[in-house]
Amino acid sequence: MSLQSKHMLGLQHVSDEDIITILNTANAMKDIIKRKIKKVPTLRGRTVVTLFYENSTRTKTSFDLAGKYLSADTVGLSASSSSVQKGESLIDTARTVEAMGADVVVLRHPAAGSSKMLAENINCSVINAGDGVHEHPTQALLDMFTISEHKKDFKGLKVTIVGDILHSRVARSNIWGLTKLGAEVSVVGPATMLPPKMEKMGVKVYTNMEEALAGADVVNVLRIQLERQKQGLFPSLREYSRLYGINQERLALLKDDAIILHPGPMNRGVEIVSRVADSSQAVIEEQVTNGVAVRMALLYLLTGGEKVEDVN
Amino acid sequence: MKMLIKGGDVVNPEKMNVEQLDIKVESGVITAIGNNLPVEGAQVVEADGKLVCPGLIDMHVHLREPGYEHKETIATGTKAAAQGGFTAVACMPNTNPVADNASIIRHILERSEAEGVVKVYPIAAITKGSKGDELTEMADLKSAGAVALSDDGIPVASAAVMRRAMQYANMLNLPVIPHCEDKDLVGGGVMHEGFQSTVLGLPGIPAAAEEVMVARDIILAETTGCKLHIAHVSTAGSVELVRQAKRRGVNVTCEVTPHHFTLTDEEVTGYNTNTKVNPPLRSSADVLAIKEGLADGTIDVIATDHAPHSEEEKAVEYQYAPFGLVGLETAVGLVFTELVSKGILTAPEAIAKLSLNPARVLGIKAGKLMVGETADITIIDPGAKEVINPAHLAGKSKNTPFNGRELKGLPVMTLVNGKIVMRDRRVTG
Amino acid sequence: MDVAKEKAQILDENGIRRTLTRIAHEIIEKNKGVENVALVGIRRRGVPLAERLAQRIKEIEGTEVPVGTLDITLYRDDLTTLSQQPQVHQTKVNFPLGDKTIVLVDDVLFTGRTARAALDALIDLGRPKSIQFMVMVDRGHRELPIRADYVGKNLPTSKKEVVSVQLKDIDNEDKVVITELPD
């Protein structure tokens, strides 16, 4: 039942069977989070190190708790407090962490491909917690897990991802994962925020919000980074909101039982209005719980030993 | 010291033909070319079945000296050149300090005289410190030995500065070799903008970043009359712009690197930093257009843009790695494997783009095998095979994207001033 | 996987049915009724066994006893050595454990390690009044100080043998057989 790789670097090269295994395992893990005693002894004696070169309290905490609920020892290393400040290379930092006994390294890094580089240079398992704008597989898996709790099947499911697709690792990982399981994925955003030739990834590309939302089962609303305005990628938050904000009128374009996802943190009133964010169709808080469950599932599935299982 | 190169297929890039002839070399000069020349006590080099070519010239090389001797030096860079079959290189001015005054040009020439294995022709900066503001003392630079002007690596952003530079250079009959890149359009780009950059999540460099500058510089050359040689074209659009300009009679030439006619942006998958180069590896459509440009003569020159970087500098995240790869040692093999074997260029056409054409662009007396000329000669064995192994590269840095690739058609001897500096792939000079 | 050779059949369908009926009586007798008794089957074959026991108890006493499902994967003590992480399933115990006597139900008692894991898993769900243990077959070779309160059949075996309890719900047939692993 282990995965095909001991690393989780991205969903592009993960099989659909592996994705399903992770989602099924996450289902069992979620029960543990809901118990009074939120701990199982599974990863007793294992060490998980979170190595974060970008600030993300949310993702880091989620991995920390996932490890702790499975009884792993978790240690966090952030770029600002470590030898990274002294100019040590990523590989050297990771090798140091490994030499101290880490079994799993969770890496968040601003450079695309950094987790792959790490996996090629150290022996322990590497989980990509976001590398540049390349991939953020655990976010996509938690999005998919959340969708699976509300929708029967991914086959034919219409999922629309809205926003700054160009700079979104979440969008890329979601596209790989969702299309593998047969969902019909569309992306929509201003032309300046759509990467070239994205349709070759198997998605429909829109600049018109109304067309992209029509009949959707799931809408995944991306956070708009306010600094993109200064970079000249869009003229103003006001215009962005007017063209691509999710509001109640646009909600009406979706299927009646459509759900709204957002990876957080939200800019209320910009990409999503509060009345939508707080509506019964929004599953944003569930995503947070599911993030811990999915990360527990991954930590469990990636930390196997060497022996083949005995009979009886 | 006499030498007789016997029975080789002598390539004439001017007449575009190949003829089996003997060549006699005495005291560093070609003294006879003909059939069945008498040995008369000369050292005989059997060249049967091999191409005997005018010494190859790589007009776009970074020797890194002064300032970046941990990447390459004049000594190691010219060794790489000799191994690659080049008898001369032109070196780019983005050293530290920048080659923007006569004393640095003289320094490079003196160091080359002392330690160089092959000939070195320095190219000077267009602006002081390559800052893009004030023009360099071009007349003084020319007197000191600079053969051209370039902003390689640090493009002149201002069209006004570039226009004045061309006016001034034209007065001195110095070619201008622009590195065509609009830095604003590049942004933080590290690879070709296309499907691969979308998938890899690496910031893209659009083809337009190169093409708008190619267009600008062609227009400026057209109006100033300056001799323009566009460095390392990499896109279909650039090739087409040059083609049209040539049709209009603009005094423009251009070059392409072996990696740009061999590799596409798909090589970047896997984030191998030795595929990070500027201009970036482009799409397969661009590679196709470049091959057409080579075949129809739009692209005049093949130059390597040999850009050494140390192992430590390249062993970092893709986005943080420096641009550049080494090319001197592998260029001829790639030309024969990718272009000559595949029928895109004939051997004389390929040799012209590696010898006579760069000599003409730079205005140096080279590129022809004639009695009375200096004996700078490259012998190529079109049947010789080799698998590229970075450890066997003669230069100081090993940042090649071609590790493990098999080449067929390799330089087996390099003669500079009649002296053997490379024999059987080993540098002897 | 090597195909194990079937050596002997220990129980057939009727044998299993009679055994479960006897054990149902024993549970009722030992607990003086089933008022505060609940059954928890250990995945996988403990689950249908627990359900059948509950059915028998209902037939005898007229009382429905709650039945839960326990997945002990996350409590195994050999996870750090296995190359293939076993699949995790959901645990479903939808009743409070606090005042109950829990009868853990499993198919085969061998080393005792599964039972140990099940005890830990159960206690993390709550604090039962007491825990009892029922197995269909006790084949010996204990590695931990664990014994069953209710045993369908004591079956001395060699370590090379495999005892397989097969149930219609999973295996299309009710029987208990001994097979031998090839050398």
Side-chain angles (χ1 to χ4, degrees), chain B residues 70-94:
Chain B
H70 65 289
K71 299 174 195 265
E72 194 81 281
T73 63
I74 287 169
T76 60
T78 53
K79 260 187 198 158
Q83 189 184 45
F86 292 99
T87 60
V89 296
C91 60
M92 284 296 171
N94 59 338

Side-chain angles (χ1 to χ4, degrees), chain B residues 403-421:
Chain B
N403 185 8
R405 183 177 283 254
E406 192 184 55
L407 301 180
K408 187 180 169 203
L410 298 162
V412 290
M413 187 176 281
T414 312
L415 289 145
V416 176
N417 293 329
K419 188 184 155 211
I420 297 173
V421 296

Side-chain angles (χ1 to χ4, degrees), chain A residues 1-3 21 24-25 27-29 31-32 35-37 39-44 46 70 299-312, chain C residues 1 73-92 108 110 116 120-121 123-126 139 161-164 181:
Chain A
M1 257 314 125
S2 288
L3 307 178
T21 299
N24 286 341
T25 308
N27 202 27
M29 295 297 182
D31 290 344
I32 296 167
R35 298 189 334 202
K36 255 192 198 146
I37 300 177
K39 205 173 194 74
V40 290
T42 317
L43 297 186
R44 215 154 39 92
R46 299 298 184 108
L70 291 171
L299 287 175
Y300 168 70
L301 291 167
L302 293 177
T303 50
E306 277 104 42
K307 214 171 71 184
V308 179
E309 189 170 5
D310 293 330
V311 188
N312 250 0
Chain C
M1 190 186 269
T73 310
L74 296 171
Y75 290 83
R76 288 171 62 153
D77 61 4
D78 56 353
L79 288 174
T80 51
T81 63
L82 298 176
S83 65
Q84 291 281 304
Q85 293 292 50
Q87 187 167 355
V88 183
H89 293 277
Q90 273 183 293
T91 283
K92 284 178 188 148
V108 180
F110 183 28
R116 195 282 308 160
D120 283 351
I123 285 164
D124 276 356
L125 296 176
R139 60 167 293 193
E161 291 167 328
V162 175
V163 176
S164 142
L181 287 174

Side-chain angles (χ1 to χ4, degrees), chain A residues 12 134-135 172 176 201, chain B residues 194-201 271:
Chain A
Q12 184 185 3
H134 175 225
E135 284 227 40
R172 283 171 177 79
W176 293 125
M201 285 176 79
Chain B
F195 178 60
Q196 296 300 332
S197 68
T198 293
V199 169
L200 294 170
Y271 300 94

Side-chain angles (χ1 to χ4, degrees), chain B residues 103-397:
Chain B
S103 68
I104 294 174
I105 298 295
R106 277 195 291 270
H107 171 77
I108 291 168
L109 287 170
E110 279 160 21
R111 297 282 296 153
S112 304
E113 193 64 37
E115 299 194 6
V117 181
V118 306
K119 294 173 181 173
V120 175
Y121 295 99
I123 295 170
I126 294 174
T127 58
K128 287 178 191 153
S130 284
K131 289 192 161 69
D133 307 321
E134 295 175 44
L135 301 186
T136 51
E137 296 170 333
M138 296 179 185
D140 205 26
L141 287 161
K142 186 177 180 179
S143 315
V147 293
L149 299 161
S150 179
D151 57 355
D152 195 53
I154 317 153
V156 172
S158 159
V161 173
M162 193 52 133
R163 179 164 173 267
R164 282 182 213 112
M166 286 196 198
Q167 286 172 326
Y168 203 89
N170 187 40
M171 169 180 89
L172 300 165
N173 197 27
L174 273 174
V176 168
I177 307 177
H179 167 122
C180 290
E181 188 185 14
D182 183 318
K183 287 286 186 192
D184 282 340
L185 282 174
V186 170
V190 297
M191 70 173 292
H192 175 61
E193 183 186 273
F195 178 60
Q196 296 300 332
S197 68
T198 293
V199 169
L200 294 170
L202 289 170
I205 301 175
E210 173 173 316
E211 290 158 6
V212 294
M213 291 298 253
V214 170
R216 180 196 80 172
D217 290 345
I218 284 173
I219 290 164
L220 293 175
E222 198 165 7
T223 54
T224 58
C226 178
K227 186 175 175 182
L228 181 71
H229 175 79
I230 294 167
H232 45 54
V233 294
S234 72
T235 74
S238 296
V239 174
E240 187 52 32
L241 283 164
V242 173
R243 185 178 286 128
Q244 288 169 10
K246 282 185 167 187
R247 271 191 208 135
R248 293 201 301 276
V250 182
N251 193 2
V252 60
T253 54
C254 71
E255 71 191 25
V256 71
T257 70
H259 47 274
H260 284 116
F261 65 63
T262 307
L263 304 177
T264 67
D265 57 348
E266 280 183 42
E267 295 291 321
V268 183
T269 310
Y271 300 94
N272 175 2
T273 55
N274 287 336
T275 64
K276 184 173 173 182
V277 63
N278 191 5
L281 301 175
R282 299 289 188 182
S283 71
S284 50
D286 291 310
V287 171
L288 207 65
I290 280 166
K291 286 180 174 170
E292 282 167 17
L294 280 162
D296 72 9
T298 302
I299 300 172
D300 312 85
V301 171
I302 294 167
T304 66
D305 193 6
H306 181 80
H309 292 292
S310 72
E311 195 183 335
E312 294 78 13
E313 288 166 323
K314 281 286 193 181
V316 296
E317 296 84 339
Y318 199 90
Q319 275 162 270
Y320 306 154
F323 289 99
L325 49 90
V326 294
L328 278 166
E329 300 96 327
T330 53
V332 170
L334 289 164
V335 167
F336 275 78
T337 309
E338 296 297 323
L339 303 177
V340 179
S341 296
K342 294 181 179 168
I344 290 154
L345 295 178
T346 64
E349 283 170 344
I351 297 307
K353 292 181 200 295
L354 286 160
S355 59
L356 183 62
N357 296 358
R360 280 180 174 159
V361 171
L362 297 174
I364 55 181
K365 202 161 168 283
K368 293 181 208 174
L369 293 173
M370 291 197 319
V371 174
E373 294 284 343
T374 306
D376 291 344
I377 300 172
T378 303
I379 302 178
I380 294 167
D381 181 350
K385 287 185 187 174
E386 188 177 273
V387 174
I388 296 175
N389 178 346
H392 296 163
L393 301 181
K396 188 177 252 185
S397 294

Side-chain angles (χ1 to χ4, degrees), chain A residues 1-2 30 32 39 48 84 106 111 133 174 200-202 204-205 209 214 220 223 250 268 273 291:
Chain A
M1 257 314 125
S2 288
K30 190 171 180 180
I32 296 167
K39 205 173 194 74
V48 176
V84 175
V106 178
V133 299
N174 260 290
K200 278 175 80 178
M201 285 176 79
K204 288 186 190 145
V205 181
M209 187 71 163
N220 201 337
R223 176 182 164 77
R250 288 191 168 128
R268 283 173 184 266
V273 301

